[in-house]
Amino acid sequence: MPRFSVIVPCFKVQGFLRECLDSVLLQSFNDLELIAVDDCSPDGCGAILDEYAERDPRVKVLHLPENVGLGRARNAGLPHATGDYLFFLDSDDTLTSGALRAVADRLAEAEDPDVLVFDYARTYWWGGTRRNVLAQVLAEAGADTFTATDRPEILDLLMVVWNKVYRRDFVEEHGFEFPPGYYEDTPWTFPVMLSARRIAALDRICLNYRQRRQGNILSTTSRKHFDIHDQYERVFAFVAEHEELAGWRPYLHRKMGEHCLDILAKPDRLPPADKAEFFRRTAEMFRRHRPEGALVDGEVALLEGDYPAYRLKRQAARAGQEAGRWTAQLRREAALRARSGWTGLHARRPLDPHLVVYSASSHRGVLGDPAAVYRKAREIAPQLRGVWVVRDEEAAAQLPPDVEHVLVGSRRYLEVTARAKFFVNDVNWPGSLAKRPGSVHIHTHQGTPLKYMGADLLDKPGARLGFDVPQMLRRADRWDHSLVANRHSELVWERAYPCHFTSVRTGSPRNDVLVGAADGDGAAFRARHGIPEDHLVVLYAPTRRDYRRGGHVDRIDLARFAADLGKGCTLVVRLHPTLATGPARGMGLTELARRGIVVDATDEPHVEEVMLASDVLVTDYSALMFDYANLDRPIVVHADDWAAYTASRGAYLDITAEAPGHVSHSYRELAWLFASGSWQDEEAARLRADFRERFCEFDDGRAAERVVRTLLLGESMPEGAAVRIPGQNAGSDLLAST
């Protein structure tokens, strides 16, 4: 008996079907059967299904003699299911990598609940991806099982069949099945969820819900959308047959009204001539099923009136929205004029020679190189007043209480930026910031560059999508000083940013703590995350991909890697900052961290602390490797898609040929490096030494002091602070000095 019976109804989806089937059959968890139902599809679906069945014994194909529709096609597959759990997958959607393993593990942890609800992401035909906006409901559900009464917010999730798996015995016991017609999920999902005694949640994206440009049945204009009324009649009938569910009537009554009004409001659902009839039928049904004492307010209150009144309300709402947009535009223009006047007032005052304005990572807080300079300035130059620019109140709330700050765009921001002598930033300042004569802009960058940056992106249209290179160069024209940690960076920045700055061989201020690292410096991070002192900590830090919209590509099965590392090891994962709020963590990282299989360090504000707590770095092409090399700890480069990465983004050197340690080109090679101990052998040490000599050239632990003394104070460095310069470069650049 397999663990899963995956039922896939198919009708006119030949262009998507192979991708759907492959997403199931190529899962790492393969204890499954796939029951494909050819709903008398007129295209090549039937032949594709037969082809798969011929080569994979797990595939069973049913060819229906006539088209019966999505719901009844699912019903046709039910009697053939033998698995513990039923998984209804639409044939134009796909499972994410590792989804069935994650579901199986969660089912085992929850001791076989009646229903397991998991997360999904919408994938759009133009390449975009958007996570379910109510994913937090799953995160808050926790590890215990519950009922809909315990957590009614679970019903706020999309009421569809495919974001859940169902214990087959539970389904058979209650005789659940799908009705004919559109919206067939409604009279399945509500009865199932209200009847389940044990529901579990999985905070992981297990399914990609394809948003087709055309061909989506619910986006077609038709009277078939009137089926929604029959479907809710079935829901109300089910509740009437089960007295214990009577308390759900007010909720379902309101839900029905909201659902029908949503259909009516969409321009592509109902023929215009039929909208009045749809409203009248909805209103009649709403009145007929209204429970005694039910509160009717908000949008559903429109169903208490007639269709002309509804149309007037809709037209008034649209007019109000349009007026609101015009008002907002006028306010923005007035605010811009006011800000210009305010800035002009302060621009006539002299610069404050002791005022330093800092920003880091697009105004996210006291971070990176600017933070290291700020801390050193407070130590050795207390006469300097440091003010941080932060993006919003939320970022401001994370600052230490003694850090002076302003919100970007505020009146105080305009005042300090008009008066400041010095500006320190690792990302370009907004274009609205005018550089006054005599002010000094210090650009720290964000580490040593591997991938193409700046003007070099002009030949990489995919990587610079939405990126205005000429505008970026105009902003870079404000730089006076560009900090570099090695001569490689010096050459790159001069080519990528053909502007007027002077390169300064200071080293990277944020790396000072790494150069002078001592035993136990990472103890606080380990203690905070419950990592035993004697554990080997493996830090995995993947970067974003420009060949995939959204930037995230799963290169490693994290659960498998953590297991293969074995006892006595902890896997710490830190995603690229640009992926922190997207769907990447929902692809498994959040759930694995909750279960203690990995530690998610993506939200740790100070990456230096994460590096100090680790014993070895595994990365693909993250610039973090150049900083990490200062620790003189092993580094493994996992380069299984190097060709695709360089084709889409470009690279200044071949990191697979000039690596800081061993290079793996497949997961098998990566696992072998750790299983054999080769990750820390003599060859790894030799490669690391050559890499450090080249790319940690100016990092000597005093970079921040060098910036403060020479650039902010105009002094010379004390004796004994000579920059560490090796006798020769360790390799050749793809760049030539000009």
Side-chain angles (χ1 to χ4, degrees):
M1 179 185 296
R3 189 60 165 160
F4 295 108
S5 292
V6 184
I7 299 176
V8 184
C10 308
F11 182 74
K12 296 175 68 173
V13 287
Q14 62 179 6
F16 308 111
L17 184 54
R18 292 182 185 276
E19 185 181 1
C20 172
L21 299 176
D22 287 343
S23 77
V24 177
L25 299 174
L26 298 180
Q27 290 280 314
S28 59
F29 184 92
N30 56 25
D31 184 15
L32 63 93
E33 61 181 4
L34 193 155
I35 302 169
V37 183
D38 172 18
D39 190 15
C40 201
S41 185
D43 58 6
C45 285
I48 293 172
L49 295 178
D50 290 340
E51 172 194 329
Y52 273 76
E54 185 175 348
R55 68 171 187 247
D56 194 321
R58 295 174 297 169
V59 179
K60 179 185 296 185
V61 179
L62 305 177
H63 294 283
L64 301 185
E66 61 180 359
N67 177 248
V68 298
L70 183 58
R72 287 188 288 184
R74 290 172 180 155
N75 291 341
L78 277 173
H80 300 273
T82 62
D84 297 330
Y85 278 85
L86 302 173
F87 195 139
F88 297 98
L89 178 65
D90 286 354
S91 48
D92 55 352
D93 296 337
T94 56
L95 300 186
T96 60
S97 178
L100 288 185
R101 167 60 65 186
V103 172
D105 289 347
R106 183 71 181 97
L107 290 173
E109 180 187 42
E111 299 179 347
D112 286 3
D114 297 330
V115 180
L116 171 67
V117 187
F118 53 78
D119 204 7
Y120 67 92
R122 296 175 186 266
T123 57
Y124 295 87
W125 60 269
W126 42 265
T129 300
R130 181 168 64 89
R131 189 177 187 180
N132 164 31
V133 296
L134 294 177
Q136 191 62 28
V137 171
L138 297 173
E140 293 171 351
D144 296 334
T145 58
F146 53 90
T147 65
T149 302
D150 298 330
R151 289 189 171 275
E153 62 272 18
I154 199 71
L155 300 181
D156 292 333
L157 297 173
L158 197 60
M159 281 287 99
V160 291
V161 67
W162 44 254
N163 62 351
K164 309 168 185 71
V165 294
Y166 313 86
R167 188 165 54 82
R168 184 167 58 88
D169 291 346
F170 164 71
V171 171
E172 292 178 350
E173 175 188 348
H174 289 79
F176 294 125
E177 62 179 8
F178 295 91
Y182 281 17
Y183 306 101
E184 75 291 333
D185 286 4
T186 299
W188 166 283
T189 308
F190 280 116
V192 165
M193 295 297 286
L194 298 181
S195 301
R197 306 316 304 161
R198 298 181 66 247
I199 303 171
L202 174 60
D203 181 21
R204 185 197 195 277
I205 297 173
C206 296
L207 183 140
N208 288 319
Y209 176 31
R210 189 188 302 273
Q211 306 295 287
R212 292 159 66 176
R213 188 165 183 259
Q214 57 185 1
N216 185 331
I217 192 169
L218 290 184
S219 295
T220 56
T221 303
S222 166
R223 281 186 60 88
K224 288 289 290 180
H225 293 284
F226 279 78
D227 288 352
I228 190 64
H229 300 122
D230 290 339
Q231 307 298 20
Y232 271 101
E233 289 289 4
R234 293 182 173 99
V235 174
F236 290 129
F238 180 86
V239 171
E241 293 170 1
H242 297 79
E243 293 184 2
E244 71 277 11
L245 302 180
W248 285 101
R249 286 174 181 158
Y251 173 86
L252 294 171
H253 174 255
R254 187 179 192 90
K255 195 67 150 181
M256 181 274 293
E258 292 173 346
H259 196 168
C260 292
L261 287 174
D262 181 63
I263 294 170
L264 182 60
K266 285 183 165 56
D268 59 351
R269 299 293 172 90
L270 293 160
D274 295 325
K275 289 191 173 184
E277 180 187 352
F278 185 91
F279 179 89
R280 288 193 296 271
R281 288 183 55 177
T282 300
E284 188 279 327
M285 185 176 179
F286 190 75
R287 289 190 294 269
R288 180 158 40 86
H289 287 285
R290 179 176 178 175
E292 184 177 350
L295 178 65
V296 177
D297 59 358
E299 185 182 21
V300 295
L302 294 172
L303 293 170
E304 297 282 286
D306 56 18
Y307 184 63
Y310 164 80
R311 289 192 62 190
L312 286 174
K313 286 279 189 181
R314 292 281 302 171
Q315 291 168 357
R318 284 194 293 267
Q321 291 169 357
E322 186 64 26
R325 282 193 290 268
W326 274 104
T327 300
Q329 177 65 23
L330 292 173
R331 286 175 177 170
R332 284 193 295 269
E333 293 175 356
L336 180 60
R337 289 193 296 270
R339 285 197 298 270
S340 299
W342 182 263
T343 304
L345 174 66
H346 286 280
R348 290 192 290 271
R349 299 171 61 188
L351 295 176
D352 184 341
H354 297 113
L355 179 56
V356 187
V357 178
Y358 296 89
S359 180
S361 300
S362 300
H363 316 310
R364 289 197 300 115
V366 183
L367 304 167
D369 291 308
V373 174
Y374 169 76
R375 287 191 289 266
K376 183 58 68 173
R378 295 187 69 174
E379 176 188 336
I380 66 176
Q383 71 272 28
L384 296 177
R385 174 192 171 199
V387 179
W388 280 85
V389 176
V390 292
R391 59 187 179 185
D392 50 33
E393 293 288 359
E394 183 179 353
Q398 304 302 315
L399 299 176
D402 60 341
V403 172
E404 186 178 356
H405 68 276
V406 295
L407 299 183
V408 65
S410 67
R411 181 168 289 190
R412 288 194 61 229
Y413 163 83
L414 297 172
E415 178 183 349
V416 298
T417 55
R419 296 288 316 284
K421 169 74 172 180
F422 300 101
F423 293 80
V424 182
N425 199 349
D426 61 3
V427 178
N428 251 323
W429 293 98
S432 58
L433 177 62
K435 186 177 190 297
R436 291 186 63 187
S439 64
V440 178
H441 283 240
I442 300 169
H443 195 75
T444 70
H445 302 282
Q446 291 185 319
T448 294
L450 171 61
K451 61 188 178 184
Y452 275 11
M453 304 288 287
D456 289 329
L457 292 175
L458 287 171
D459 293 329
K460 297 292 180 182
R464 65 176 173 85
L465 181 65
F467 181 58
D468 188 337
V469 174
Q471 173 65 17
M472 177 273 302
L473 293 178
R474 286 192 289 271
R475 295 181 182 186
D477 278 333
R478 295 174 297 193
W479 303 352
D480 293 288
H481 303 296
S482 166
L483 307 189
V484 298
N486 46 65
R487 277 175 273 200
H488 163 82
S489 296
E490 189 171 281
L491 293 174
V492 168
W493 299 140
E494 290 178 4
R495 167 176 146 172
Y497 300 102
C499 301
H500 310 293
F501 57 82
T502 299
S503 293
V504 188
R505 297 179 174 183
T506 57
S508 291
R510 66 180 182 179
N511 288 344
D512 289 348
V513 297
L514 305 181
V515 175
D519 291 341
D521 278 358
F525 175 89
R526 289 191 175 215
R528 191 162 62 249
H529 292 280
I531 302 174
E533 293 182 4
D534 60 344
H535 266 216
L536 176 78
V537 175
V538 179
L539 171 59
Y540 175 50
T543 193
R544 65 177 291 118
R545 300 314 200 261
D546 292 290
Y547 61 77
R548 177 72 61 84
R549 185 179 291 273
H552 176 68
V553 180
D554 277 323
R555 307 308 311 175
I556 292 178
D557 184 330
L558 297 178
R560 181 180 179 185
F561 188 33
D564 288 344
L565 288 174
K567 294 182 178 180
C569 296
T570 295
L571 178 61
V572 175
V573 181
R574 183 180 176 85
L575 299 178
H576 190 276
T578 61
L579 302 176
T581 57
R585 293 161 91 172
M587 300 300 288
L589 178 56
T590 299
E591 173 66 8
L592 293 175
R594 182 192 69 78
R595 292 165 52 198
I597 294 174
V598 303
V599 171
D600 181 4
T602 304
D603 288 335
E604 287 288 335
H606 304 294
V607 67
E608 299 86 2
E609 188 177 7
V610 183
M611 290 191 281
L612 287 167
S614 66
D615 300 298
V616 53
L617 170 68
V618 177
T619 187
D620 34 41
Y621 324 116
S622 171
L624 200 68
M625 72 177 83
F626 298 99
D627 300 333
Y628 197 85
N630 281 286
L631 290 170
D632 197 19
R633 298 174 187 174
I635 302 172
V636 174
V637 175
H638 185 57
D640 65 336
D641 65 340
W642 176 243
Y645 183 84
T646 53
S648 61
R649 180 64 190 236
Y652 293 113
L653 68 143
D654 184 352
I655 199 62
T656 66
E658 302 176 73
H662 288 297
V663 178
S664 59
H665 299 279
S666 66
Y667 178 76
R668 183 177 181 181
E669 291 182 10
L670 177 64
W672 179 85
L673 285 173
F674 281 90
S676 65
S678 300
W679 61 276
Q680 57 178 342
D681 62 11
E682 292 183 3
E683 177 65 7
R686 184 191 68 77
L687 292 169
R688 185 167 70 255
D690 291 345
F691 192 84
R692 291 181 69 241
E693 184 180 38
R694 181 180 180 190
F695 294 109
C696 302
E697 188 176 1
F698 306 137
D699 282 334
D700 63 351
R702 303 186 69 179
E705 180 185 0
R706 189 170 292 110
V707 172
V708 174
R709 292 193 185 281
T710 63
L711 301 183
L712 299 184
L713 299 179
E715 302 174 352
S716 299
M717 284 289 287
E719 291 296 323
V723 175
R724 167 164 57 90
I725 301 178
Q728 61 182 15
N729 277 344
S732 60
D733 258 306
L734 295 182
L735 299 168
S737 181
T738 58

